[in-house]
Amino acid sequence: MEKFAVLGCGVVGSGVVELFEKNKALIEKRSGKELEMGYILDLRDFPDRPYANLLVKKIDPILADPDVTVVAECMGGVEPAFTFVKQCLEAGKSVATSNKELVAAKGDILLKTAKEYNVNFFFEASVGGAIPIIRPLHKCLAANDFSAIAGILNGTTNFILNKMIKENMDFSAALALAQEKGYAEKDPTADVDGHDACRKICILSSLAFGKHVYPESVHTKGIREVALKDVELCGKLGYSIKLIARVQRLENGKILPTVMPMAVEEDNLLSQVNGVYNAVMVRGDGISKAMFYGRGAGKFPTASAVLGDMIEEVQLDHTIPSQTWENVNSTDFIEDFSAFSAKRYIRTSAADAAVLREVFGDLTLEQTTDTGEAVLVTETSMNAAQVERAGEALAQKGIKLLAEYPVLVS
Ligand code: HSE
């Protein structure tokens, strides 16, 4: 018999409780052991819930119970989650978390603590909701030298962009619907401004390249400024604007993690990922590329990943699979965003082909809109400074650079 505790009974925590109860027999069969839900920690009272008798408001009874071997952390945020998780690990209990903010900020410390105390710290649910990506990177693909990871890692923004495009829903209504469905973070600005996707690419980068990448090192831009006009025009040109979280290893050996809206070529499978679905494309020297796809947010998809970690922990019988990365106390291995270079989708206020070619070099001047504006895709890659200089050169000719998105090729 293994006893477990659930920290936080919000969307994900209640999903863990309910999915466990629904599939208890299956879960126990696959774990090879009987499992008992011992405690649910939450500051709120839930007198009407069937498990009200398991509710505790403090971590102490969980820490003090030697029968609790596994803890599911679904509280969100760095504190008090960090303190509780560290205490659980130090008390010899393995932890499975869905909390990407915690892993991105403190993963190195918690992995080290888990190793010291001979327990596991698992976080499959922290990236991509239901999608298995942490374990594949760490295990199935471990023979690869990774060169890049690119993904749609935030279900809320992908859902919002889709509703705006396909159902003409305005931004606030789409966000409210995402919140109602339990996709959005407690503070949805974390979704909209790209911070949630940033935390997730930090975790994938740390895992793939072996050194802790902190959110502060990632150039992060959300979808607030994405104009429907560009989404539509991009679509007509065969591109989809998506919030892309990406890390690439450059020729100088450094890595460059970014989160920003990009114009994704239609040949790239990521352009086909819609609604709350997430996808992660991994490139490695052995596999060329592999794509992972599934529901990226929501109660049961995320709970499925937390329970999967808990089952693995029980199956492993608390042995250590050495999933870890280093804290190198330096960001020397991370390239500055000024080095980021890509072809660009550009919208300008006028369609003077000669001027546009003079400024951008070879380009595909795909279309002139009925307002006289031009949309184009450059043939050559440009960095941010080059785009800025191009904007200045256009301004001298009386043309405005109205929008620009880096292109993600297939
Ligand atoms: N708010 C997140 C999302 C939840 O929309 O993807 C899953 O991490």
Side-chain angles (χ1 to χ4, degrees):
M1 167 75 77
E2 302 261 350
K3 197 168 172 183
F4 70 89
V6 180
L7 312 187
C9 200
V11 174
V12 179
S14 62
V16 170
V17 170
E18 288 170 38
L19 195 59
F20 172 74
E21 281 304 321
K22 178 170 179 281
N23 291 343
K24 187 168 188 287
L26 263 178
I27 288 170
E28 289 185 326
K29 193 165 174 220
R30 289 174 182 156
S31 303
K33 286 194 188 144
E34 284 180 21
L35 293 171
E36 182 194 333
M37 185 157 55
Y39 303 88
I40 302 171
L41 179 145
D42 206 292
L43 293 177
R44 296 162 294 182
D45 288 311
F46 300 101
D48 303 334
R49 292 223 182 144
Y51 315 105
N53 60 319
L54 303 182
L55 277 171
V56 290
K57 287 194 177 4
K58 294 206 154 117
I59 190 77
D60 310 71
I62 298 171
L63 296 174
D65 187 340
D67 292 339
V68 173
T69 51
V70 188
V71 175
E73 188 277 303
C74 311
M75 304 172 71
V78 175
E79 282 295 356
F82 174 65
T83 303
F84 289 177
V85 168
K86 194 152 183 292
Q87 286 176 328
C88 286
L89 296 170
E90 288 167 352
K93 302 169 195 318
S94 288
V95 175
T97 184
S98 57
N99 186 343
K100 53 264 164 179
E101 196 174 349
L102 175 69
V103 185
K106 304 282 186 186
D108 49 351
I109 299 172
L110 294 172
L111 285 164
K112 195 162 165 254
T113 308
K115 207 160 197 158
E116 266 169 41
Y117 287 83
N118 273 351
V119 288
N120 283 307
F121 177 59
F122 284 156
F123 44 91
E124 185 64 69
S126 66
V127 180
I131 306 175
I133 180 64
I134 301 295
R135 202 159 280 112
L137 272 182
H138 164 60
K139 291 193 168 170
C140 323
L141 305 180
N144 285 265
D145 190 12
F146 297 112
S147 53
I149 299 174
I152 291 172
L153 298 181
N154 184 266
T156 301
T157 45
N158 209 44
F159 178 85
I160 291 173
L161 284 173
N162 246 204
K163 286 280 171 197
M164 288 169 72
I165 302 162
K166 301 221 160 113
E167 295 174 30
N168 239 348
M169 198 178 267
D170 71 30
F171 178 86
S172 321
L175 174 58
L177 191 57
Q179 285 176 295
E180 191 186 311
K181 287 179 175 283
Y183 302 154
E185 295 301 295
K186 272 187 221 158
D187 172 7
T189 55
D191 299 294
V192 173
D193 292 328
H195 303 303
D196 178 73
C198 166
R199 290 164 191 148
K200 292 166 178 169
I201 200 68
C202 285
I203 297 170
L204 296 183
S205 304
S206 304
L207 200 55
F209 299 103
K211 293 175 183 168
H212 194 110
V213 176
Y214 291 97
E216 299 74 35
S217 306
V218 182
H219 173 86
T220 301
K221 190 170 177 204
I223 64 163
R224 244 176 240 283
E225 289 164 21
V226 175
L228 254 190
K229 188 172 202 175
D230 289 304
V231 174
E232 282 162 9
L233 288 170
C234 244
K236 283 187 186 152
L237 302 176
Y239 296 84
S240 296
I241 295 186
K242 300 279 189 193
L243 184 66
I244 298 294
R246 184 168 177 237
V247 59
Q248 37 175 339
R249 199 187 51 210
L250 306 177
E251 276 176 14
N252 63 8
K254 292 187 181 188
I255 63 166
L256 181 47
T258 50
V259 174
M260 57 191 165
M262 296 183 82
V264 184
E265 263 187 1
E266 66 184 356
D267 288 350
N268 188 320
L269 286 174
L270 290 176
S271 75
Q272 313 299 327
V273 176
N274 292 319
V276 72
Y277 282 86
N278 281 192
V280 190
M281 179 87 81
V282 180
R283 289 176 192 270
D285 53 358
I287 53 171
S288 179
K289 57 187 177 185
M291 171 102 162
F292 300 81
Y293 173 82
R295 279 188 174 265
K299 179 171 175 169
F300 292 115
T302 312
S304 153
V306 174
L307 280 161
D309 275 351
M310 292 162 70
I311 293 168
E312 162 118 331
E313 167 57 23
V314 173
Q315 286 168 338
L316 283 169
D317 214 10
H318 318 294
T319 53
I320 306 298
S322 72
Q323 171 175 266
T324 190
W325 57 66
E326 299 173 70
N327 178 347
V328 289
N329 282 323
S330 148
T331 52
D332 287 356
F333 65 104
I334 301 175
E335 187 55 272
D336 189 78
F337 180 67
S338 57
F340 177 89
S341 187
K343 289 182 178 189
R344 304 279 163 159
Y345 158 90
I346 305 261
R347 178 163 58 90
T348 58
S349 62
D352 184 331
V355 172
L356 295 175
R357 287 212 159 79
E358 191 187 316
V359 172
F360 293 107
D362 288 342
L363 54 83
T364 317
L365 186 57
E366 299 278 0
Q367 192 171 336
T368 305
T369 68
D370 48 11
T371 56
E373 295 174 4
V375 286
L376 60 94
V377 174
T378 65
E379 290 285 313
T380 46
S381 293
M382 303 173 78
N383 61 29
Q386 288 166 324
V387 173
E388 200 179 318
R389 279 201 296 277
E392 287 162 6
L394 286 179
Q396 283 174 8
K397 310 268 184 188
I399 299 176
K400 286 191 193 130
L401 197 161
L402 298 172
E404 68 89 11
Y405 291 95
V407 170
L408 183 65
V409 294
S410 56

mmCIF file with all atom_site columns, all heavy atoms in Angstrom, residues 98 100 125-126 128-129 153-157 182-185 191 196 200 276 278 296-298 302, ligand 1:
data_model
loop_
_atom_site.group_PDB
_atom_site.id
_atom_site.type_symbol
_atom_site.label_atom_id
_atom_site.label_alt_id
_atom_site.label_comp_id
_atom_site.label_asym_id
_atom_site.label_entity_id
_atom_site.label_seq_id
_atom_site.pdbx_PDB_ins_code
_atom_site.Cartn_x
_atom_site.Cartn_y
_atom_site.Cartn_z
_atom_site.occupancy
_atom_site.B_iso_or_equiv
_atom_site.pdbx_formal_charge
_atom_site.auth_seq_id
_atom_site.auth_comp_id
_atom_site.auth_asym_id
_atom_site.auth_atom_id
_atom_site.pdbx_PDB_model_num
ATOM   1   N N   . SER A 1 98  ? 2.750   19.937 -11.235 1.00 0.00 ? 98  SER A N   1
ATOM   2   C CA  . SER A 1 98  ? 2.279   20.509 -12.505 1.00 0.00 ? 98  SER A CA  1
ATOM   3   C C   . SER A 1 98  ? 2.721   21.974 -12.588 1.00 0.00 ? 98  SER A C   1
ATOM   4   O O   . SER A 1 98  ? 2.352   22.681 -13.513 1.00 0.00 ? 98  SER A O   1
ATOM   5   C CB  . SER A 1 98  ? 0.746   20.464 -12.546 1.00 0.00 ? 98  SER A CB  1
ATOM   6   O OG  . SER A 1 98  ? 0.209   21.166 -11.428 1.00 0.00 ? 98  SER A OG  1
ATOM   7   N N   . LYS A 1 100 ? 4.804   24.823 -13.402 1.00 0.00 ? 100 LYS A N   1
ATOM   8   C CA  . LYS A 1 100 ? 5.954   25.227 -14.244 1.00 0.00 ? 100 LYS A CA  1
ATOM   9   C C   . LYS A 1 100 ? 6.693   26.421 -13.700 1.00 0.00 ? 100 LYS A C   1
ATOM   10  O O   . LYS A 1 100 ? 7.900   26.557 -13.890 1.00 0.00 ? 100 LYS A O   1
ATOM   11  C CB  . LYS A 1 100 ? 5.517   25.493 -15.690 1.00 0.00 ? 100 LYS A CB  1
ATOM   12  C CG  . LYS A 1 100 ? 4.389   26.466 -15.851 1.00 0.00 ? 100 LYS A CG  1
ATOM   13  C CD  . LYS A 1 100 ? 3.111   25.714 -15.973 1.00 0.00 ? 100 LYS A CD  1
ATOM   14  C CE  . LYS A 1 100 ? 1.923   26.642 -15.746 1.00 0.00 ? 100 LYS A CE  1
ATOM   15  N NZ  . LYS A 1 100 ? 0.660   25.963 -15.877 1.00 0.00 ? 100 LYS A NZ  1
ATOM   16  N N   . ALA A 1 125 ? 3.853   17.153 -15.963 1.00 0.00 ? 125 ALA A N   1
ATOM   17  C CA  . ALA A 1 125 ? 2.661   17.993 -16.193 1.00 0.00 ? 125 ALA A CA  1
ATOM   18  C C   . ALA A 1 125 ? 2.996   19.473 -16.330 1.00 0.00 ? 125 ALA A C   1
ATOM   19  O O   . ALA A 1 125 ? 2.115   20.270 -16.652 1.00 0.00 ? 125 ALA A O   1
ATOM   20  C CB  . ALA A 1 125 ? 1.676   17.808 -15.028 1.00 0.00 ? 125 ALA A CB  1
ATOM   21  N N   . SER A 1 126 ? 4.263   19.829 -16.096 1.00 0.00 ? 126 SER A N   1
ATOM   22  C CA  . SER A 1 126 ? 4.590   21.265 -16.112 1.00 0.00 ? 126 SER A CA  1
ATOM   23  C C   . SER A 1 126 ? 4.709   21.822 -17.526 1.00 0.00 ? 126 SER A C   1
ATOM   24  O O   . SER A 1 126 ? 4.667   23.025 -17.725 1.00 0.00 ? 126 SER A O   1
ATOM   25  C CB  . SER A 1 126 ? 5.892   21.519 -15.336 1.00 0.00 ? 126 SER A CB  1
ATOM   26  O OG  . SER A 1 126 ? 6.985   20.920 -15.999 1.00 0.00 ? 126 SER A OG  1
ATOM   27  N N   . GLY A 1 128 ? 3.183   21.339 -21.509 1.00 0.00 ? 128 GLY A N   1
ATOM   28  C CA  . GLY A 1 128 ? 2.367   20.670 -22.521 1.00 0.00 ? 128 GLY A CA  1
ATOM   29  C C   . GLY A 1 128 ? 1.191   19.874 -21.976 1.00 0.00 ? 128 GLY A C   1
ATOM   30  O O   . GLY A 1 128 ? 0.634   19.051 -22.697 1.00 0.00 ? 128 GLY A O   1
ATOM   31  N N   . GLY A 1 129 ? 0.785   20.133 -20.727 1.00 0.00 ? 129 GLY A N   1
ATOM   32  C CA  . GLY A 1 129 ? -0.404  19.449 -20.188 1.00 0.00 ? 129 GLY A CA  1
ATOM   33  C C   . GLY A 1 129 ? -0.309  17.939 -20.354 1.00 0.00 ? 129 GLY A C   1
ATOM   34  O O   . GLY A 1 129 ? 0.559   17.286 -19.772 1.00 0.00 ? 129 GLY A O   1
ATOM   35  N N   . LEU A 1 153 ? 3.238   26.203 -26.648 1.00 0.00 ? 153 LEU A N   1
ATOM   36  C CA  . LEU A 1 153 ? 3.261   25.697 -25.279 1.00 0.00 ? 153 LEU A CA  1
ATOM   37  C C   . LEU A 1 153 ? 2.243   26.374 -24.375 1.00 0.00 ? 153 LEU A C   1
ATOM   38  O O   . LEU A 1 153 ? 2.240   26.147 -23.180 1.00 0.00 ? 153 LEU A O   1
ATOM   39  C CB  . LEU A 1 153 ? 4.668   25.859 -24.673 1.00 0.00 ? 153 LEU A CB  1
ATOM   40  C CG  . LEU A 1 153 ? 5.792   25.085 -25.370 1.00 0.00 ? 153 LEU A CG  1
ATOM   41  C CD1 . LEU A 1 153 ? 7.120   25.315 -24.655 1.00 0.00 ? 153 LEU A CD1 1
ATOM   42  C CD2 . LEU A 1 153 ? 5.485   23.592 -25.396 1.00 0.00 ? 153 LEU A CD2 1
ATOM   43  N N   . ASN A 1 154 ? 1.426   27.232 -24.959 1.00 0.00 ? 154 ASN A N   1
ATOM   44  C CA  . ASN A 1 154 ? 0.380   27.859 -24.145 1.00 0.00 ? 154 ASN A CA  1
ATOM   45  C C   . ASN A 1 154 ? -0.979  27.675 -24.804 1.00 0.00 ? 154 ASN A C   1
ATOM   46  O O   . ASN A 1 154 ? -1.248  28.232 -25.872 1.00 0.00 ? 154 ASN A O   1
ATOM   47  C CB  . ASN A 1 154 ? 0.690   29.341 -23.914 1.00 0.00 ? 154 ASN A CB  1
ATOM   48  C CG  . ASN A 1 154 ? -0.335  29.973 -22.995 1.00 0.00 ? 154 ASN A CG  1
ATOM   49  O OD1 . ASN A 1 154 ? -1.310  30.556 -23.445 1.00 0.00 ? 154 ASN A OD1 1
ATOM   50  N ND2 . ASN A 1 154 ? -0.155  29.824 -21.694 1.00 0.00 ? 154 ASN A ND2 1
ATOM   51  N N   . GLY A 1 155 ? -1.819  26.879 -24.149 1.00 0.00 ? 155 GLY A N   1
ATOM   52  C CA  . GLY A 1 155 ? -3.128  26.560 -24.708 1.00 0.00 ? 155 GLY A CA  1
ATOM   53  C C   . GLY A 1 155 ? -4.041  27.774 -24.762 1.00 0.00 ? 155 GLY A C   1
ATOM   54  O O   . GLY A 1 155 ? -4.800  27.958 -25.718 1.00 0.00 ? 155 GLY A O   1
ATOM   55  N N   . THR A 1 156 ? -3.960  28.619 -23.721 1.00 0.00 ? 156 THR A N   1
ATOM   56  C CA  . THR A 1 156 ? -4.867  29.773 -23.648 1.00 0.00 ? 156 THR A CA  1
ATOM   57  C C   . THR A 1 156 ? -4.676  30.708 -24.840 1.00 0.00 ? 156 THR A C   1
ATOM   58  O O   . THR A 1 156 ? -5.644  31.096 -25.500 1.00 0.00 ? 156 THR A O   1
ATOM   59  C CB  . THR A 1 156 ? -4.620  30.535 -22.324 1.00 0.00 ? 156 THR A CB  1
ATOM   60  O OG1 . THR A 1 156 ? -4.863  29.620 -21.258 1.00 0.00 ? 156 THR A OG1 1
ATOM   61  C CG2 . THR A 1 156 ? -5.529  31.733 -22.183 1.00 0.00 ? 156 THR A CG2 1
ATOM   62  N N   . THR A 1 157 ? -3.434  31.071 -25.133 1.00 0.00 ? 157 THR A N   1
ATOM   63  C CA  . THR A 1 157 ? -3.194  32.011 -26.245 1.00 0.00 ? 157 THR A CA  1
ATOM   64  C C   . THR A 1 157 ? -3.533  31.366 -27.581 1.00 0.00 ? 157 THR A C   1
ATOM   65  O O   . THR A 1 157 ? -4.061  32.030 -28.475 1.00 0.00 ? 157 THR A O   1
ATOM   66  C CB  . THR A 1 157 ? -1.743  32.523 -26.245 1.00 0.00 ? 157 THR A CB  1
ATOM   67  O OG1 . THR A 1 157 ? -0.867  31.417 -26.021 1.00 0.00 ? 157 THR A OG1 1
ATOM   68  C CG2 . THR A 1 157 ? -1.532  33.573 -25.191 1.00 0.00 ? 157 THR A CG2 1
ATOM   69  N N   . GLY A 1 182 ? -11.026 26.593 -17.662 1.00 0.00 ? 182 GLY A N   1
ATOM   70  C CA  . GLY A 1 182 ? -9.938  26.157 -16.775 1.00 0.00 ? 182 GLY A CA  1
ATOM   71  C C   . GLY A 1 182 ? -8.595  26.053 -17.476 1.00 0.00 ? 182 GLY A C   1
ATOM   72  O O   . GLY A 1 182 ? -7.693  25.373 -16.996 1.00 0.00 ? 182 GLY A O   1
ATOM   73  N N   . TYR A 1 183 ? -8.425  26.744 -18.602 1.00 0.00 ? 183 TYR A N   1
ATOM   74  C CA  . TYR A 1 183 ? -7.141  26.703 -19.319 1.00 0.00 ? 183 TYR A CA  1
ATOM   75  C C   . TYR A 1 183 ? -6.167  27.741 -18.795 1.00 0.00 ? 183 TYR A C   1
ATOM   76  O O   . TYR A 1 183 ? -4.961  27.517 -18.765 1.00 0.00 ? 183 TYR A O   1
ATOM   77  C CB  . TYR A 1 183 ? -7.327  26.994 -20.827 1.00 0.00 ? 183 TYR A CB  1
ATOM   78  C CG  . TYR A 1 183 ? -8.268  26.070 -21.553 1.00 0.00 ? 183 TYR A CG  1
ATOM   79  C CD1 . TYR A 1 183 ? -8.928  26.502 -22.704 1.00 0.00 ? 183 TYR A CD1 1
ATOM   80  C CD2 . TYR A 1 183 ? -8.492  24.767 -21.116 1.00 0.00 ? 183 TYR A CD2 1
ATOM   81  C CE1 . TYR A 1 183 ? -9.792  25.670 -23.389 1.00 0.00 ? 183 TYR A CE1 1
ATOM   82  C CE2 . TYR A 1 183 ? -9.362  23.940 -21.788 1.00 0.00 ? 183 TYR A CE2 1
ATOM   83  C CZ  . TYR A 1 183 ? -10.012 24.400 -22.927 1.00 0.00 ? 183 TYR A CZ  1
ATOM   84  O OH  . TYR A 1 183 ? -10.869 23.581 -23.597 1.00 0.00 ? 183 TYR A OH  1
ATOM   85  N N   . ALA A 1 184 ? -6.733  28.931 -18.438 1.00 0.00 ? 184 ALA A N   1
ATOM   86  C CA  . ALA A 1 184 ? -5.865  30.075 -18.139 1.00 0.00 ? 184 ALA A CA  1
ATOM   87  C C   . ALA A 1 184 ? -5.234  29.961 -16.754 1.00 0.00 ? 184 ALA A C   1
ATOM   88  O O   . ALA A 1 184 ? -5.732  29.267 -15.874 1.00 0.00 ? 184 ALA A O   1
ATOM   89  C CB  . ALA A 1 184 ? -6.682  31.359 -18.238 1.00 0.00 ? 184 ALA A CB  1
ATOM   90  N N   . GLU A 1 185 ? -4.113  30.665 -16.581 1.00 0.00 ? 185 GLU A N   1
ATOM   91  C CA  . GLU A 1 185 ? -3.469  30.770 -15.271 1.00 0.00 ? 185 GLU A CA  1
ATOM   92  C C   . GLU A 1 185 ? -4.348  31.611 -14.342 1.00 0.00 ? 185 GLU A C   1
ATOM   93  O O   . GLU A 1 185 ? -5.226  32.339 -14.805 1.00 0.00 ? 185 GLU A O   1
ATOM   94  C CB  . GLU A 1 185 ? -2.108  31.458 -15.426 1.00 0.00 ? 185 GLU A CB  1
ATOM   95  C CG  . GLU A 1 185 ? -1.103  30.673 -16.236 1.00 0.00 ? 185 GLU A CG  1
ATOM   96  C CD  . GLU A 1 185 ? -0.823  29.310 -15.641 1.00 0.00 ? 185 GLU A CD  1
ATOM   97  O OE1 . GLU A 1 185 ? -0.274  29.240 -14.533 1.00 0.00 ? 185 GLU A OE1 1
ATOM   98  O OE2 . GLU A 1 185 ? -1.185  28.304 -16.271 1.00 0.00 ? 185 GLU A OE2 1
ATOM   99  N N   . ASP A 1 191 ? -0.377  34.138 -19.297 1.00 0.00 ? 191 ASP A N   1
ATOM   100 C CA  . ASP A 1 191 ? -0.602  33.488 -20.595 1.00 0.00 ? 191 ASP A CA  1
ATOM   101 C C   . ASP A 1 191 ? -0.400  34.499 -21.719 1.00 0.00 ? 191 ASP A C   1
ATOM   102 O O   . ASP A 1 191 ? 0.394   34.294 -22.625 1.00 0.00 ? 191 ASP A O   1
ATOM   103 C CB  . ASP A 1 191 ? -2.038  32.933 -20.676 1.00 0.00 ? 191 ASP A CB  1
ATOM   104 C CG  . ASP A 1 191 ? -2.326  31.886 -19.617 1.00 0.00 ? 191 ASP A CG  1
ATOM   105 O OD1 . ASP A 1 191 ? -1.713  30.823 -19.680 1.00 0.00 ? 191 ASP A OD1 1
ATOM   106 O OD2 . ASP A 1 191 ? -3.166  32.136 -18.738 1.00 0.00 ? 191 ASP A OD2 1
ATOM   107 N N   . ASP A 1 196 ? 4.003   32.263 -19.232 1.00 0.00 ? 196 ASP A N   1
ATOM   108 C CA  . ASP A 1 196 ? 3.758   30.836 -19.035 1.00 0.00 ? 196 ASP A CA  1
ATOM   109 C C   . ASP A 1 196 ? 4.563   30.013 -20.060 1.00 0.00 ? 196 ASP A C   1
ATOM   110 O O   . ASP A 1 196 ? 5.251   29.054 -19.705 1.00 0.00 ? 196 ASP A O   1
ATOM   111 C CB  . ASP A 1 196 ? 2.247   30.553 -19.168 1.00 0.00 ? 196 ASP A CB  1
ATOM   112 C CG  . ASP A 1 196 ? 1.916   29.090 -19.031 1.00 0.00 ? 196 ASP A CG  1
ATOM   113 O OD1 . ASP A 1 196 ? 1.971   28.569 -17.911 1.00 0.00 ? 196 ASP A OD1 1
ATOM   114 O OD2 . ASP A 1 196 ? 1.637   28.451 -20.063 1.00 0.00 ? 196 ASP A OD2 1
ATOM   115 N N   . LYS A 1 200 ? 7.888   27.345 -19.598 1.00 0.00 ? 200 LYS A N   1
ATOM   116 C CA  . LYS A 1 200 ? 7.923   25.998 -20.172 1.00 0.00 ? 200 LYS A CA  1
ATOM   117 C C   . LYS A 1 200 ? 9.149   25.808 -21.064 1.00 0.00 ? 200 LYS A C   1
ATOM   118 O O   . LYS A 1 200 ? 9.774   24.749 -21.050 1.00 0.00 ? 200 LYS A O   1
ATOM   119 C CB  . LYS A 1 200 ? 6.625   25.727 -20.931 1.00 0.00 ? 200 LYS A CB  1
ATOM   120 C CG  . LYS A 1 200 ? 5.427   25.638 -19.976 1.00 0.00 ? 200 LYS A CG  1
ATOM   121 C CD  . LYS A 1 200 ? 4.122   25.715 -20.715 1.00 0.00 ? 200 LYS A CD  1
ATOM   122 C CE  . LYS A 1 200 ? 2.928   25.590 -19.781 1.00 0.00 ? 200 LYS A CE  1
ATOM   123 N NZ  . LYS A 1 200 ? 1.656   25.904 -20.424 1.00 0.00 ? 200 LYS A NZ  1
ATOM   124 N N   . VAL A 1 276 ? -6.940  24.605 -27.894 1.00 0.00 ? 276 VAL A N   1
ATOM   125 C CA  . VAL A 1 276 ? -6.151  24.481 -26.668 1.00 0.00 ? 276 VAL A CA  1
ATOM   126 C C   . VAL A 1 276 ? -5.002  23.468 -26.839 1.00 0.00 ? 276 VAL A C   1
ATOM   127 O O   . VAL A 1 276 ? -4.227  23.229 -25.925 1.00 0.00 ? 276 VAL A O   1
ATOM   128 C CB  . VAL A 1 276 ? -7.073  24.097 -25.492 1.00 0.00 ? 276 VAL A CB  1
ATOM   129 C CG1 . VAL A 1 276 ? -7.531  22.654 -25.637 1.00 0.00 ? 276 VAL A CG1 1
ATOM   130 C CG2 . VAL A 1 276 ? -6.401  24.326 -24.152 1.00 0.00 ? 276 VAL A CG2 1
ATOM   131 N N   . ASN A 1 278 ? -1.496  21.835 -27.759 1.00 0.00 ? 278 ASN A N   1
ATOM   132 C CA  . ASN A 1 278 ? -0.082  22.231 -27.766 1.00 0.00 ? 278 ASN A CA  1
ATOM   133 C C   . ASN A 1 278 ? 0.665   21.246 -28.645 1.00 0.00 ? 278 ASN A C   1
ATOM   134 O O   . ASN A 1 278 ? 0.171   20.132 -28.917 1.00 0.00 ? 278 ASN A O   1
ATOM   135 C CB  . ASN A 1 278 ? 0.537   22.102 -26.371 1.00 0.00 ? 278 ASN A CB  1
ATOM   136 C CG  . ASN A 1 278 ? 0.207   23.254 -25.420 1.00 0.00 ? 278 ASN A CG  1
ATOM   137 O OD1 . ASN A 1 278 ? 0.818   23.358 -24.379 1.00 0.00 ? 278 ASN A OD1 1
ATOM   138 N ND2 . ASN A 1 278 ? -0.736  24.106 -25.757 1.00 0.00 ? 278 ASN A ND2 1
ATOM   139 N N   . GLY A 1 296 ? -2.948  20.869 -24.197 1.00 0.00 ? 296 GLY A N   1
ATOM   140 C CA  . GLY A 1 296 ? -1.905  21.519 -23.414 1.00 0.00 ? 296 GLY A CA  1
ATOM   141 C C   . GLY A 1 296 ? -2.362  22.123 -22.112 1.00 0.00 ? 296 GLY A C   1
ATOM   142 O O   . GLY A 1 296 ? -1.551  22.604 -21.328 1.00 0.00 ? 296 GLY A O   1
ATOM   143 N N   . ALA A 1 297 ? -3.651  22.140 -21.855 1.00 0.00 ? 297 ALA A N   1
ATOM   144 C CA  . ALA A 1 297 ? -4.148  22.738 -20.614 1.00 0.00 ? 297 ALA A CA  1
ATOM   145 C C   . ALA A 1 297 ? -5.483  22.098 -20.279 1.00 0.00 ? 297 ALA A C   1
ATOM   146 O O   . ALA A 1 297 ? -6.080  21.409 -21.100 1.00 0.00 ? 297 ALA A O   1
ATOM   147 C CB  . ALA A 1 297 ? -4.324  24.251 -20.794 1.00 0.00 ? 297 ALA A CB  1
ATOM   148 N N   . GLY A 1 298 ? -5.933  22.354 -19.045 1.00 0.00 ? 298 GLY A N   1
ATOM   149 C CA  . GLY A 1 298 ? -7.237  21.821 -18.632 1.00 0.00 ? 298 GLY A CA  1
ATOM   150 C C   . GLY A 1 298 ? -7.081  20.825 -17.505 1.00 0.00 ? 298 GLY A C   1
ATOM   151 O O   . GLY A 1 298 ? -5.997  20.274 -17.273 1.00 0.00 ? 298 GLY A O   1
ATOM   152 N N   . THR A 1 302 ? -4.082  17.692 -17.619 1.00 0.00 ? 302 THR A N   1
ATOM   153 C CA  . THR A 1 302 ? -2.935  17.962 -16.745 1.00 0.00 ? 302 THR A CA  1
ATOM   154 C C   . THR A 1 302 ? -2.888  16.943 -15.606 1.00 0.00 ? 302 THR A C   1
ATOM   155 O O   . THR A 1 302 ? -1.814  16.450 -15.233 1.00 0.00 ? 302 THR A O   1
ATOM   156 C CB  . THR A 1 302 ? -3.012  19.415 -16.209 1.00 0.00 ? 302 THR A CB  1
ATOM   157 O OG1 . THR A 1 302 ? -3.285  20.283 -17.320 1.00 0.00 ? 302 THR A OG1 1
ATOM   158 C CG2 . THR A 1 302 ? -1.709  19.833 -15.575 1.00 0.00 ? 302 THR A CG2 1
HETATM 159 N N1  . HSE B 2 .   ? -2.404  28.414 -18.677 1.00 0.00 ? 1   HSE B N1  1
HETATM 160 C C1  . HSE B 2 .   ? -1.714  27.317 -19.236 1.00 0.00 ? 1   HSE B C1  1
HETATM 161 C C2  . HSE B 2 .   ? -2.041  27.227 -20.726 1.00 0.00 ? 1   HSE B C2  1
HETATM 162 C C3  . HSE B 2 .   ? -2.112  26.063 -18.522 1.00 0.00 ? 1   HSE B C3  1
HETATM 163 O O1  . HSE B 2 .   ? -2.958  27.918 -21.162 1.00 0.00 ? 1   HSE B O1  1
HETATM 164 O O2  . HSE B 2 .   ? -1.376  26.517 -21.454 1.00 0.00 ? 1   HSE B O2  1
HETATM 165 C C4  . HSE B 2 .   ? -1.232  24.900 -18.768 1.00 0.00 ? 1   HSE B C4  1
HETATM 166 O O3  . HSE B 2 .   ? 0.056   25.126 -18.335 1.00 0.00 ? 1   HSE B O3  1
#
